[in-house]
Amino acid sequence: MVKVTYEIVPHDGGWAYRFRDVYSEAFPTHAEAVEAARIVAAEQQIGGDSAEISWQDERGKWHEEYTDGGDRPETEVVDGKVHFPPVDTAPGA
């Protein structure tokens, strides 16, 4: 299973969450960046529709495969050594 980790970092005069080398927008406060990252992490847990996909590898070869819409990555939000669980996005939460 793929694991997606969003890291809370200082960015552009505020705070952002980062996945690998990609930053979110800058938020004025640390707490807002944490909350935004937790929401994004939770949204990653929502399944979609199954589909046939085509993709090209680094050598230019095309591949066809079936993707299960319920196959979602494990997510976490990390700020230093503190781990935040995703927010519950279930109806009524």
PDB file of all heavy atoms in Angstrom, residues 4-8 16-19 22-25 27 32-46 72-77 84-89:
ATOM      1  N   VAL A   4       1.096   8.243   1.947  1.00  0.00           N
ATOM      2  CA  VAL A   4       1.247   9.653   1.627  1.00  0.00           C
ATOM      3  C   VAL A   4       1.411  10.411   2.942  1.00  0.00           C
ATOM      4  O   VAL A   4       0.545  10.343   3.811  1.00  0.00           O
ATOM      5  CB  VAL A   4       0.018  10.189   0.851  1.00  0.00           C
ATOM      6  CG1 VAL A   4       0.124  11.680   0.628  1.00  0.00           C
ATOM      7  CG2 VAL A   4      -0.139   9.447  -0.475  1.00  0.00           C
ATOM      8  N   THR A   5       2.539  11.117   3.086  1.00  0.00           N
ATOM      9  CA  THR A   5       2.806  11.884   4.298  1.00  0.00           C
ATOM     10  C   THR A   5       2.857  13.359   3.956  1.00  0.00           C
ATOM     11  O   THR A   5       3.641  13.789   3.108  1.00  0.00           O
ATOM     12  CB  THR A   5       4.146  11.452   4.932  1.00  0.00           C
ATOM     13  OG1 THR A   5       4.071  10.067   5.247  1.00  0.00           O
ATOM     14  CG2 THR A   5       4.430  12.253   6.197  1.00  0.00           C
ATOM     15  N   TYR A   6       1.997  14.127   4.600  1.00  0.00           N
ATOM     16  CA  TYR A   6       1.995  15.583   4.459  1.00  0.00           C
ATOM     17  C   TYR A   6       2.763  16.148   5.646  1.00  0.00           C
ATOM     18  O   TYR A   6       2.431  15.858   6.797  1.00  0.00           O
ATOM     19  CB  TYR A   6       0.564  16.134   4.454  1.00  0.00           C
ATOM     20  CG  TYR A   6      -0.242  15.649   3.276  1.00  0.00           C
ATOM     21  CD1 TYR A   6      -1.158  14.627   3.414  1.00  0.00           C
ATOM     22  CD2 TYR A   6      -0.075  16.220   2.023  1.00  0.00           C
ATOM     23  CE1 TYR A   6      -1.908  14.178   2.340  1.00  0.00           C
ATOM     24  CE2 TYR A   6      -0.815  15.773   0.932  1.00  0.00           C
ATOM     25  CZ  TYR A   6      -1.723  14.760   1.098  1.00  0.00           C
ATOM     26  OH  TYR A   6      -2.458  14.312   0.034  1.00  0.00           O
ATOM     27  N   GLU A   7       3.771  16.948   5.364  1.00  0.00           N
ATOM     28  CA  GLU A   7       4.612  17.522   6.411  1.00  0.00           C
ATOM     29  C   GLU A   7       4.294  19.011   6.563  1.00  0.00           C
ATOM     30  O   GLU A   7       4.219  19.738   5.571  1.00  0.00           O
ATOM     31  CB  GLU A   7       6.084  17.343   6.042  1.00  0.00           C
ATOM     32  CG  GLU A   7       7.030  17.854   7.081  1.00  0.00           C
ATOM     33  CD  GLU A   7       8.488  17.682   6.671  1.00  0.00           C
ATOM     34  OE1 GLU A   7       8.765  17.335   5.514  1.00  0.00           O
ATOM     35  OE2 GLU A   7       9.340  17.920   7.531  1.00  0.00           O
ATOM     36  N   ILE A   8       4.119  19.470   7.794  1.00  0.00           N
ATOM     37  CA  ILE A   8       3.856  20.882   8.070  1.00  0.00           C
ATOM     38  C   ILE A   8       5.203  21.606   8.134  1.00  0.00           C
ATOM     39  O   ILE A   8       6.084  21.203   8.896  1.00  0.00           O
ATOM     40  CB  ILE A   8       3.092  21.066   9.402  1.00  0.00           C
ATOM     41  CG1 ILE A   8       1.816  20.204   9.423  1.00  0.00           C
ATOM     42  CG2 ILE A   8       2.782  22.535   9.647  1.00  0.00           C
ATOM     43  CD1 ILE A   8       0.841  20.481   8.312  1.00  0.00           C
ATOM     44  N   ALA A  16       2.725  25.857   5.557  1.00  0.00           N
ATOM     45  CA  ALA A  16       2.136  25.070   4.482  1.00  0.00           C
ATOM     46  C   ALA A  16       2.268  23.595   4.829  1.00  0.00           C
ATOM     47  O   ALA A  16       2.983  23.231   5.755  1.00  0.00           O
ATOM     48  CB  ALA A  16       2.861  25.357   3.165  1.00  0.00           C
ATOM     49  N   TYR A  17       1.561  22.776   4.082  1.00  0.00           N
ATOM     50  CA  TYR A  17       1.837  21.344   4.146  1.00  0.00           C
ATOM     51  C   TYR A  17       2.535  20.975   2.839  1.00  0.00           C
ATOM     52  O   TYR A  17       2.326  21.581   1.796  1.00  0.00           O
ATOM     53  CB  TYR A  17       0.583  20.507   4.397  1.00  0.00           C
ATOM     54  CG  TYR A  17      -0.532  20.671   3.399  1.00  0.00           C
ATOM     55  CD1 TYR A  17      -0.595  19.886   2.249  1.00  0.00           C
ATOM     56  CD2 TYR A  17      -1.564  21.580   3.615  1.00  0.00           C
ATOM     57  CE1 TYR A  17      -1.629  20.014   1.353  1.00  0.00           C
ATOM     58  CE2 TYR A  17      -2.594  21.719   2.719  1.00  0.00           C
ATOM     59  CZ  TYR A  17      -2.629  20.932   1.584  1.00  0.00           C
ATOM     60  OH  TYR A  17      -3.652  21.068   0.687  1.00  0.00           O
ATOM     61  N   ARG A  18       3.411  19.980   2.924  1.00  0.00           N
ATOM     62  CA  ARG A  18       4.228  19.592   1.779  1.00  0.00           C
ATOM     63  C   ARG A  18       4.135  18.084   1.591  1.00  0.00           C
ATOM     64  O   ARG A  18       4.183  17.322   2.550  1.00  0.00           O
ATOM     65  CB  ARG A  18       5.671  19.994   2.039  1.00  0.00           C
ATOM     66  CG  ARG A  18       6.654  19.541   0.981  1.00  0.00           C
ATOM     67  CD  ARG A  18       8.037  20.011   1.283  1.00  0.00           C
ATOM     68  NE  ARG A  18       8.560  19.298   2.448  1.00  0.00           N
ATOM     69  CZ  ARG A  18       9.645  19.664   3.109  1.00  0.00           C
ATOM     70  NH1 ARG A  18      10.311  20.748   2.766  1.00  0.00           N
ATOM     71  NH2 ARG A  18      10.066  18.969   4.144  1.00  0.00           N
ATOM     72  N   PHE A  19       4.005  17.687   0.347  1.00  0.00           N
ATOM     73  CA  PHE A  19       4.120  16.270  -0.027  1.00  0.00           C
ATOM     74  C   PHE A  19       5.270  16.183  -1.013  1.00  0.00           C
ATOM     75  O   PHE A  19       5.229  16.779  -2.084  1.00  0.00           O
ATOM     76  CB  PHE A  19       2.829  15.746  -0.654  1.00  0.00           C
ATOM     77  CG  PHE A  19       2.954  14.351  -1.197  1.00  0.00           C
ATOM     78  CD1 PHE A  19       3.231  13.292  -0.348  1.00  0.00           C
ATOM     79  CD2 PHE A  19       2.817  14.095  -2.543  1.00  0.00           C
ATOM     80  CE1 PHE A  19       3.353  11.999  -0.837  1.00  0.00           C
ATOM     81  CE2 PHE A  19       2.940  12.802  -3.041  1.00  0.00           C
ATOM     82  CZ  PHE A  19       3.210  11.762  -2.189  1.00  0.00           C
ATOM     83  N   VAL A  22       6.289  19.248  -3.272  1.00  0.00           N
ATOM     84  CA  VAL A  22       5.156  20.089  -3.654  1.00  0.00           C
ATOM     85  C   VAL A  22       4.533  20.700  -2.403  1.00  0.00           C
ATOM     86  O   VAL A  22       4.182  19.992  -1.459  1.00  0.00           O
ATOM     87  CB  VAL A  22       4.100  19.270  -4.435  1.00  0.00           C
ATOM     88  CG1 VAL A  22       2.907  20.138  -4.805  1.00  0.00           C
ATOM     89  CG2 VAL A  22       4.721  18.639  -5.674  1.00  0.00           C
ATOM     90  N   TYR A  23       4.407  22.036  -2.409  1.00  0.00           N
ATOM     91  CA  TYR A  23       3.869  22.779  -1.270  1.00  0.00           C
ATOM     92  C   TYR A  23       2.428  23.201  -1.531  1.00  0.00           C
ATOM     93  O   TYR A  23       2.054  23.505  -2.670  1.00  0.00           O
ATOM     94  CB  TYR A  23       4.690  24.050  -1.030  1.00  0.00           C
ATOM     95  CG  TYR A  23       6.084  23.793  -0.547  1.00  0.00           C
ATOM     96  CD1 TYR A  23       7.104  23.473  -1.433  1.00  0.00           C
ATOM     97  CD2 TYR A  23       6.390  23.872   0.799  1.00  0.00           C
ATOM     98  CE1 TYR A  23       8.391  23.229  -0.991  1.00  0.00           C
ATOM     99  CE2 TYR A  23       7.676  23.636   1.251  1.00  0.00           C
ATOM    100  CZ  TYR A  23       8.663  23.319   0.351  1.00  0.00           C
ATOM    101  OH  TYR A  23       9.944  23.079   0.801  1.00  0.00           O
ATOM    102  N   SER A  24       1.655  23.259  -0.463  1.00  0.00           N
ATOM    103  CA  SER A  24       0.312  23.831  -0.542  1.00  0.00           C
ATOM    104  C   SER A  24       0.449  25.346  -0.592  1.00  0.00           C
ATOM    105  O   SER A  24       1.554  25.892  -0.526  1.00  0.00           O
ATOM    106  CB  SER A  24      -0.497  23.439   0.695  1.00  0.00           C
ATOM    107  OG  SER A  24      -0.006  24.118   1.846  1.00  0.00           O
ATOM    108  N   GLU A  25      -0.678  26.007  -0.639  1.00  0.00           N
ATOM    109  CA  GLU A  25      -0.658  27.454  -0.459  1.00  0.00           C
ATOM    110  C   GLU A  25      -0.145  27.758   0.945  1.00  0.00           C
ATOM    111  O   GLU A  25      -0.171  26.893   1.823  1.00  0.00           O
ATOM    112  CB  GLU A  25      -2.068  28.014  -0.629  1.00  0.00           C
ATOM    113  CG  GLU A  25      -3.031  27.519   0.468  1.00  0.00           C
ATOM    114  CD  GLU A  25      -4.451  27.953   0.254  1.00  0.00           C
ATOM    115  OE1 GLU A  25      -4.777  29.103   0.602  1.00  0.00           O
ATOM    116  OE2 GLU A  25      -5.228  27.142  -0.272  1.00  0.00           O
ATOM    117  N   PHE A  27      -0.451  29.341   4.596  1.00  0.00           N
ATOM    118  CA  PHE A  27      -1.500  29.690   5.546  1.00  0.00           C
ATOM    119  C   PHE A  27      -0.899  30.624   6.584  1.00  0.00           C
ATOM    120  O   PHE A  27       0.269  30.469   6.962  1.00  0.00           O
ATOM    121  CB  PHE A  27      -2.055  28.429   6.216  1.00  0.00           C
ATOM    122  CG  PHE A  27      -2.765  27.521   5.258  1.00  0.00           C
ATOM    123  CD1 PHE A  27      -2.068  26.517   4.594  1.00  0.00           C
ATOM    124  CD2 PHE A  27      -4.114  27.676   5.000  1.00  0.00           C
ATOM    125  CE1 PHE A  27      -2.703  25.682   3.693  1.00  0.00           C
ATOM    126  CE2 PHE A  27      -4.764  26.843   4.102  1.00  0.00           C
ATOM    127  CZ  PHE A  27      -4.057  25.844   3.440  1.00  0.00           C
ATOM    128  N   GLU A  32      -3.844  26.560  11.030  1.00  0.00           N
ATOM    129  CA  GLU A  32      -4.598  26.498   9.771  1.00  0.00           C
ATOM    130  C   GLU A  32      -3.941  25.523   8.786  1.00  0.00           C
ATOM    131  O   GLU A  32      -4.632  24.799   8.073  1.00  0.00           O
ATOM    132  CB  GLU A  32      -4.707  27.879   9.142  1.00  0.00           C
ATOM    133  CG  GLU A  32      -5.650  28.803   9.881  1.00  0.00           C
ATOM    134  CD  GLU A  32      -5.618  30.210   9.325  1.00  0.00           C
ATOM    135  OE1 GLU A  32      -4.557  30.858   9.414  1.00  0.00           O
ATOM    136  OE2 GLU A  32      -6.679  30.645   8.797  1.00  0.00           O
ATOM    137  N   ALA A  33      -2.625  25.496   8.752  1.00  0.00           N
ATOM    138  CA  ALA A  33      -1.918  24.564   7.875  1.00  0.00           C
ATOM    139  C   ALA A  33      -2.158  23.124   8.311  1.00  0.00           C
ATOM    140  O   ALA A  33      -2.377  22.242   7.475  1.00  0.00           O
ATOM    141  CB  ALA A  33      -0.428  24.881   7.849  1.00  0.00           C
ATOM    142  N   VAL A  34      -2.137  22.880   9.616  1.00  0.00           N
ATOM    143  CA  VAL A  34      -2.403  21.530  10.131  1.00  0.00           C
ATOM    144  C   VAL A  34      -3.818  21.103   9.765  1.00  0.00           C
ATOM    145  O   VAL A  34      -4.038  19.997   9.264  1.00  0.00           O
ATOM    146  CB  VAL A  34      -2.192  21.457  11.661  1.00  0.00           C
ATOM    147  CG1 VAL A  34      -2.730  20.148  12.229  1.00  0.00           C
ATOM    148  CG2 VAL A  34      -0.728  21.631  12.011  1.00  0.00           C
ATOM    149  N   GLU A  35      -4.781  21.970   9.978  1.00  0.00           N
ATOM    150  CA  GLU A  35      -6.174  21.634   9.681  1.00  0.00           C
ATOM    151  C   GLU A  35      -6.363  21.355   8.191  1.00  0.00           C
ATOM    152  O   GLU A  35      -7.030  20.389   7.804  1.00  0.00           O
ATOM    153  CB  GLU A  35      -7.112  22.754  10.137  1.00  0.00           C
ATOM    154  CG  GLU A  35      -8.578  22.456   9.942  1.00  0.00           C
ATOM    155  CD  GLU A  35      -9.102  21.301  10.812  1.00  0.00           C
ATOM    156  OE1 GLU A  35      -8.423  20.874  11.751  1.00  0.00           O
ATOM    157  OE2 GLU A  35     -10.203  20.822  10.518  1.00  0.00           O
ATOM    158  N   ALA A  36      -5.767  22.180   7.334  1.00  0.00           N
ATOM    159  CA  ALA A  36      -5.882  21.974   5.885  1.00  0.00           C
ATOM    160  C   ALA A  36      -5.251  20.644   5.484  1.00  0.00           C
ATOM    161  O   ALA A  36      -5.819  19.896   4.671  1.00  0.00           O
ATOM    162  CB  ALA A  36      -5.223  23.128   5.136  1.00  0.00           C
ATOM    163  N   ALA A  37      -4.100  20.322   6.040  1.00  0.00           N
ATOM    164  CA  ALA A  37      -3.432  19.058   5.731  1.00  0.00           C
ATOM    165  C   ALA A  37      -4.272  17.873   6.207  1.00  0.00           C
ATOM    166  O   ALA A  37      -4.364  16.847   5.511  1.00  0.00           O
ATOM    167  CB  ALA A  37      -2.049  19.019   6.359  1.00  0.00           C
ATOM    168  N   ARG A  38      -4.886  17.991   7.362  1.00  0.00           N
ATOM    169  CA  ARG A  38      -5.725  16.904   7.877  1.00  0.00           C
ATOM    170  C   ARG A  38      -6.943  16.676   6.977  1.00  0.00           C
ATOM    171  O   ARG A  38      -7.350  15.543   6.747  1.00  0.00           O
ATOM    172  CB  ARG A  38      -6.165  17.209   9.308  1.00  0.00           C
ATOM    173  CG  ARG A  38      -5.009  17.140  10.301  1.00  0.00           C
ATOM    174  CD  ARG A  38      -5.453  17.434  11.718  1.00  0.00           C
ATOM    175  NE  ARG A  38      -6.290  16.331  12.173  1.00  0.00           N
ATOM    176  CZ  ARG A  38      -7.263  16.470  13.072  1.00  0.00           C
ATOM    177  NH1 ARG A  38      -7.517  17.649  13.613  1.00  0.00           N
ATOM    178  NH2 ARG A  38      -7.965  15.428  13.451  1.00  0.00           N
ATOM    179  N   ILE A  39      -7.498  17.755   6.443  1.00  0.00           N
ATOM    180  CA  ILE A  39      -8.643  17.635   5.534  1.00  0.00           C
ATOM    181  C   ILE A  39      -8.218  16.947   4.243  1.00  0.00           C
ATOM    182  O   ILE A  39      -8.888  16.034   3.757  1.00  0.00           O
ATOM    183  CB  ILE A  39      -9.269  19.019   5.263  1.00  0.00           C
ATOM    184  CG1 ILE A  39      -9.970  19.522   6.526  1.00  0.00           C
ATOM    185  CG2 ILE A  39     -10.233  18.963   4.077  1.00  0.00           C
ATOM    186  CD1 ILE A  39     -10.377  20.978   6.477  1.00  0.00           C
ATOM    187  N   VAL A  40      -7.087  17.376   3.685  1.00  0.00           N
ATOM    188  CA  VAL A  40      -6.591  16.765   2.453  1.00  0.00           C
ATOM    189  C   VAL A  40      -6.283  15.285   2.680  1.00  0.00           C
ATOM    190  O   VAL A  40      -6.599  14.432   1.846  1.00  0.00           O
ATOM    191  CB  VAL A  40      -5.354  17.521   1.931  1.00  0.00           C
ATOM    192  CG1 VAL A  40      -4.646  16.764   0.831  1.00  0.00           C
ATOM    193  CG2 VAL A  40      -5.760  18.900   1.438  1.00  0.00           C
ATOM    194  N   ALA A  41      -5.667  14.959   3.814  1.00  0.00           N
ATOM    195  CA  ALA A  41      -5.350  13.568   4.132  1.00  0.00           C
ATOM    196  C   ALA A  41      -6.619  12.727   4.223  1.00  0.00           C
ATOM    197  O   ALA A  41      -6.669  11.595   3.733  1.00  0.00           O
ATOM    198  CB  ALA A  41      -4.551  13.483   5.426  1.00  0.00           C
ATOM    199  N   ALA A  42      -7.656  13.273   4.822  1.00  0.00           N
ATOM    200  CA  ALA A  42      -8.926  12.549   4.942  1.00  0.00           C
ATOM    201  C   ALA A  42      -9.572  12.351   3.577  1.00  0.00           C
ATOM    202  O   ALA A  42     -10.136  11.289   3.292  1.00  0.00           O
ATOM    203  CB  ALA A  42      -9.872  13.298   5.877  1.00  0.00           C
ATOM    204  N   GLU A  43      -9.488  13.361   2.713  1.00  0.00           N
ATOM    205  CA  GLU A  43     -10.072  13.245   1.380  1.00  0.00           C
ATOM    206  C   GLU A  43      -9.385  12.160   0.559  1.00  0.00           C
ATOM    207  O   GLU A  43     -10.004  11.556  -0.311  1.00  0.00           O
ATOM    208  CB  GLU A  43     -10.019  14.589   0.655  1.00  0.00           C
ATOM    209  CG  GLU A  43     -10.992  15.598   1.230  1.00  0.00           C
ATOM    210  CD  GLU A  43     -10.853  16.991   0.651  1.00  0.00           C
ATOM    211  OE1 GLU A  43      -9.878  17.247  -0.095  1.00  0.00           O
ATOM    212  OE2 GLU A  43     -11.715  17.825   0.952  1.00  0.00           O
ATOM    213  N   GLN A  44      -8.110  11.900   0.830  1.00  0.00           N
ATOM    214  CA  GLN A  44      -7.395  10.832   0.148  1.00  0.00           C
ATOM    215  C   GLN A  44      -7.980   9.463   0.484  1.00  0.00           C
ATOM    216  O   GLN A  44      -7.773   8.511  -0.259  1.00  0.00           O
ATOM    217  CB  GLN A  44      -5.909  10.841   0.534  1.00  0.00           C
ATOM    218  CG  GLN A  44      -5.129  11.953  -0.069  1.00  0.00           C
ATOM    219  CD  GLN A  44      -4.896  11.742  -1.553  1.00  0.00           C
ATOM    220  OE1 GLN A  44      -4.698  10.628  -2.007  1.00  0.00           O
ATOM    221  NE2 GLN A  44      -4.930  12.816  -2.299  1.00  0.00           N
ATOM    222  N   GLN A  45      -8.703   9.360   1.585  1.00  0.00           N
ATOM    223  CA  GLN A  45      -9.274   8.090   2.018  1.00  0.00           C
ATOM    224  C   GLN A  45     -10.605   7.777   1.347  1.00  0.00           C
ATOM    225  O   GLN A  45     -11.095   6.659   1.448  1.00  0.00           O
ATOM    226  CB  GLN A  45      -9.460   8.092   3.543  1.00  0.00           C
ATOM    227  CG  GLN A  45      -8.182   8.311   4.309  1.00  0.00           C
ATOM    228  CD  GLN A  45      -7.163   7.237   4.019  1.00  0.00           C
ATOM    229  OE1 GLN A  45      -7.409   6.068   4.243  1.00  0.00           O
ATOM    230  NE2 GLN A  45      -6.017   7.630   3.497  1.00  0.00           N
ATOM    231  N   ILE A  46     -11.182   8.749   0.654  1.00  0.00           N
ATOM    232  CA  ILE A  46     -12.483   8.558   0.015  1.00  0.00           C
ATOM    233  C   ILE A  46     -12.279   7.854  -1.322  1.00  0.00           C
ATOM    234  O   ILE A  46     -11.555   8.342  -2.182  1.00  0.00           O
ATOM    235  CB  ILE A  46     -13.202   9.908  -0.190  1.00  0.00           C
ATOM    236  CG1 ILE A  46     -13.427  10.580   1.166  1.00  0.00           C
ATOM    237  CG2 ILE A  46     -14.516   9.701  -0.928  1.00  0.00           C
ATOM    238  CD1 ILE A  46     -13.917  12.005   1.067  1.00  0.00           C
ATOM    239  N   ARG A  72      -7.056   3.002  -1.791  1.00  0.00           N
ATOM    240  CA  ARG A  72      -6.634   4.344  -1.387  1.00  0.00           C
ATOM    241  C   ARG A  72      -5.343   4.262  -0.582  1.00  0.00           C
ATOM    242  O   ARG A  72      -5.092   3.283   0.121  1.00  0.00           O
ATOM    243  CB  ARG A  72      -7.713   5.016  -0.530  1.00  0.00           C
ATOM    244  CG  ARG A  72      -9.098   5.040  -1.173  1.00  0.00           C
ATOM    245  CD  ARG A  72      -9.123   5.648  -2.565  1.00  0.00           C
ATOM    246  NE  ARG A  72      -8.559   6.971  -2.548  1.00  0.00           N
ATOM    247  CZ  ARG A  72      -7.989   7.567  -3.598  1.00  0.00           C
ATOM    248  NH1 ARG A  72      -7.914   6.953  -4.737  1.00  0.00           N
ATOM    249  NH2 ARG A  72      -7.506   8.777  -3.504  1.00  0.00           N
ATOM    250  N   PRO A  73      -4.514   5.309  -0.653  1.00  0.00           N
ATOM    251  CA  PRO A  73      -3.261   5.286   0.110  1.00  0.00           C
ATOM    252  C   PRO A  73      -3.494   5.498   1.598  1.00  0.00           C
ATOM    253  O   PRO A  73      -4.504   6.065   2.016  1.00  0.00           O
ATOM    254  CB  PRO A  73      -2.480   6.466  -0.478  1.00  0.00           C
ATOM    255  CG  PRO A  73      -3.527   7.405  -0.954  1.00  0.00           C
ATOM    256  CD  PRO A  73      -4.662   6.526  -1.433  1.00  0.00           C
ATOM    257  N   GLU A  74      -2.548   5.048   2.382  1.00  0.00           N
ATOM    258  CA  GLU A  74      -2.522   5.387   3.810  1.00  0.00           C
ATOM    259  C   GLU A  74      -1.998   6.814   3.891  1.00  0.00           C
ATOM    260  O   GLU A  74      -1.083   7.184   3.161  1.00  0.00           O
ATOM    261  CB  GLU A  74      -1.582   4.433   4.534  1.00  0.00           C
ATOM    262  CG  GLU A  74      -1.441   4.716   6.012  1.00  0.00           C
ATOM    263  CD  GLU A  74      -0.412   3.791   6.658  1.00  0.00           C
ATOM    264  OE1 GLU A  74      -0.015   2.782   6.056  1.00  0.00           O
ATOM    265  OE2 GLU A  74      -0.018   4.115   7.780  1.00  0.00           O
ATOM    266  N   THR A  75      -2.575   7.640   4.753  1.00  0.00           N
ATOM    267  CA  THR A  75      -2.141   9.036   4.859  1.00  0.00           C
ATOM    268  C   THR A  75      -1.795   9.399   6.293  1.00  0.00           C
ATOM    269  O   THR A  75      -2.301   8.791   7.245  1.00  0.00           O
ATOM    270  CB  THR A  75      -3.230  10.010   4.366  1.00  0.00           C
ATOM    271  OG1 THR A  75      -4.393   9.872   5.174  1.00  0.00           O
ATOM    272  CG2 THR A  75      -3.569   9.777   2.907  1.00  0.00           C
ATOM    273  N   GLU A  76      -0.928  10.393   6.423  1.00  0.00           N
ATOM    274  CA  GLU A  76      -0.637  10.952   7.740  1.00  0.00           C
ATOM    275  C   GLU A  76      -0.177  12.388   7.571  1.00  0.00           C
ATOM    276  O   GLU A  76       0.279  12.795   6.502  1.00  0.00           O
ATOM    277  CB  GLU A  76       0.413  10.137   8.488  1.00  0.00           C
ATOM    278  CG  GLU A  76       1.808  10.241   7.941  1.00  0.00           C
ATOM    279  CD  GLU A  76       2.841   9.499   8.780  1.00  0.00           C
ATOM    280  OE1 GLU A  76       2.580   9.201   9.957  1.00  0.00           O
ATOM    281  OE2 GLU A  76       3.910   9.212   8.239  1.00  0.00           O
ATOM    282  N   VAL A  77      -0.316  13.158   8.642  1.00  0.00           N
ATOM    283  CA  VAL A  77       0.166  14.531   8.710  1.00  0.00           C
ATOM    284  C   VAL A  77       1.207  14.566   9.809  1.00  0.00           C
ATOM    285  O   VAL A  77       0.959  14.124  10.927  1.00  0.00           O
ATOM    286  CB  VAL A  77      -0.987  15.517   9.022  1.00  0.00           C
ATOM    287  CG1 VAL A  77      -0.463  16.928   9.185  1.00  0.00           C
ATOM    288  CG2 VAL A  77      -2.050  15.452   7.935  1.00  0.00           C
ATOM    289  N   PHE A  84      -0.591  13.771  13.254  1.00  0.00           N
ATOM    290  CA  PHE A  84      -1.995  14.143  13.388  1.00  0.00           C
ATOM    291  C   PHE A  84      -2.826  13.196  12.545  1.00  0.00           C
ATOM    292  O   PHE A  84      -2.519  12.987  11.374  1.00  0.00           O
ATOM    293  CB  PHE A  84      -2.233  15.571  12.882  1.00  0.00           C
ATOM    294  CG  PHE A  84      -1.502  16.624  13.657  1.00  0.00           C
ATOM    295  CD1 PHE A  84      -0.234  17.032  13.263  1.00  0.00           C
ATOM    296  CD2 PHE A  84      -2.065  17.204  14.775  1.00  0.00           C
ATOM    297  CE1 PHE A  84       0.455  18.002  13.964  1.00  0.00           C
ATOM    298  CE2 PHE A  84      -1.388  18.174  15.478  1.00  0.00           C
ATOM    299  CZ  PHE A  84      -0.124  18.579  15.088  1.00  0.00           C
ATOM    300  N   PRO A  85      -3.887  12.623  13.090  1.00  0.00           N
ATOM    301  CA  PRO A  85      -4.746  11.779  12.262  1.00  0.00           C
ATOM    302  C   PRO A  85      -5.560  12.651  11.307  1.00  0.00           C
ATOM    303  O   PRO A  85      -5.800  13.826  11.591  1.00  0.00           O
ATOM    304  CB  PRO A  85      -5.664  11.106  13.294  1.00  0.00           C
ATOM    305  CG  PRO A  85      -5.708  12.056  14.433  1.00  0.00           C
ATOM    306  CD  PRO A  85      -4.353  12.732  14.458  1.00  0.00           C
ATOM    307  N   PRO A  86      -5.978  12.094  10.152  1.00  0.00           N
ATOM    308  CA  PRO A  86      -6.864  12.859   9.274  1.00  0.00           C
ATOM    309  C   PRO A  86      -8.161  13.196   9.998  1.00  0.00           C
ATOM    310  O   PRO A  86      -8.569  12.464  10.901  1.00  0.00           O
ATOM    311  CB  PRO A  86      -7.139  11.902   8.105  1.00  0.00           C
ATOM    312  CG  PRO A  86      -6.057  10.884   8.160  1.00  0.00           C
ATOM    313  CD  PRO A  86      -5.650  10.785   9.614  1.00  0.00           C
ATOM    314  N   VAL A  87      -8.807  14.283   9.615  1.00  0.00           N
ATOM    315  CA  VAL A  87     -10.098  14.605  10.211  1.00  0.00           C
ATOM    316  C   VAL A  87     -11.128  13.622   9.689  1.00  0.00           C
ATOM    317  O   VAL A  87     -10.975  13.058   8.600  1.00  0.00           O
ATOM    318  CB  VAL A  87     -10.556  16.056   9.887  1.00  0.00           C
ATOM    319  CG1 VAL A  87      -9.645  17.056  10.530  1.00  0.00           C
ATOM    320  CG2 VAL A  87     -10.662  16.293   8.404  1.00  0.00           C
ATOM    321  N   ASP A  88     -12.179  13.394  10.452  1.00  0.00           N
ATOM    322  CA  ASP A  88     -13.245  12.495  10.022  1.00  0.00           C
ATOM    323  C   ASP A  88     -14.162  13.263   9.099  1.00  0.00           C
ATOM    324  O   ASP A  88     -14.786  14.232   9.501  1.00  0.00           O
ATOM    325  CB  ASP A  88     -14.008  11.987  11.249  1.00  0.00           C
ATOM    326  CG  ASP A  88     -15.024  10.926  10.893  1.00  0.00           C
ATOM    327  OD1 ASP A  88     -15.179  10.617   9.693  1.00  0.00           O
ATOM    328  OD2 ASP A  88     -15.661  10.418  11.809  1.00  0.00           O
ATOM    329  N   THR A  89     -14.229  12.847   7.823  1.00  0.00           N
ATOM    330  CA  THR A  89     -15.075  13.530   6.864  1.00  0.00           C
ATOM    331  C   THR A  89     -16.392  12.809   6.634  1.00  0.00           C
ATOM    332  O   THR A  89     -17.092  13.092   5.684  1.00  0.00           O
ATOM    333  CB  THR A  89     -14.345  13.707   5.517  1.00  0.00           C
ATOM    334  OG1 THR A  89     -13.994  12.418   5.020  1.00  0.00           O
ATOM    335  CG2 THR A  89     -13.128  14.592   5.656  1.00  0.00           C
TER     336      THR A  89
END
